[in-house]
Amino acid sequence: MNYPPNAPPPGGYGGPPGGPPPGGYGPPGGGYGAPPAGYGAPPPGMPGMGAPMGGAMMPHAPYGVDPISGMPFSDKSKMVAGLLQIFVGTFGVGRFYTGHTGIAIAQIAVSWLTCGVGAIWPLVDGIMMLMGKVTDSQGRPLRD
C-alpha cells in the first residue's frame, strides 16, 4: 500500500485536531496555573533589581558594581595590573599591585629558579588580568 509522501500514517498521531494533547498535559482548560509561592518583588538594594543605576553612586561601591556578580569594583585598574604584569612580571609587580603578595613572591622565585623559563607564568597572568579574570586581594573584580 502506498501513501502520499507527507501524509500521516493510518490512525494519525494522537487525538482529533483541535482537541487536547494526548497524555494529560496540564488542566483541561490549558494554561500553567498560578506560580509557586515565593516569587514576589525582589528585595530592595539588589544590583540590577531596582537598585539605583545609571550614575547614582552607592556609598559602598565608589567605582561601581559589576552587573554580573553584583560585587563592587576594586580601586585597582585591570589595565595597569595587566601591563605591569606583562612588562615586569618576573618581579611580580602586577600581583604586588593587586595585593597578592604570596603569588608575587612565588612568581619571582619561579622566574629566577628556572633561569627565565618560568617567566611564562607572569606573562599569561598579565593577559588574564587584561581579560578581567583576576580579582584583587579582597576578591573584588578589577575596574576598567
Side-chain angles (χ1 to χ4, degrees):
M1 191 180 277
N2 290 333
Y3 296 104
N6 293 330
Y13 295 112
Y25 295 109
Y32 295 104
Y39 288 98
M46 287 189 66
M49 303 281 185
M53 297 187 76
M57 193 163 104
M58 301 164 90
H60 69 281
Y63 295 102
V65 176
D66 185 19
I68 296 172
S69 67
M71 294 281 299
F73 281 119
S74 172
D75 58 338
K76 310 291 187 207
S77 168
K78 67 180 173 183
M79 182 68 71
V80 172
L83 292 177
L84 284 173
Q85 191 67 12
I86 288 172
F87 290 115
V88 283
T90 55
F91 300 108
V93 177
R95 285 297 187 159
F96 279 122
Y97 174 73
T98 60
H100 296 103
T101 308
I103 296 175
I105 292 172
Q107 286 179 343
I108 294 170
V110 168
S111 297
W112 288 95
L113 292 174
T114 60
C115 298
V117 176
I120 294 172
W121 176 21
L123 176 69
V124 171
D125 201 28
I127 294 170
M128 296 296 284
M129 286 179 177
L130 289 174
M131 291 174 49
K133 305 292 183 189
V134 177
T135 59
D136 67 355
S137 61
Q138 297 173 348
R140 301 176 300 184
L142 301 176
R143 64 183 170 95
D144 288 331

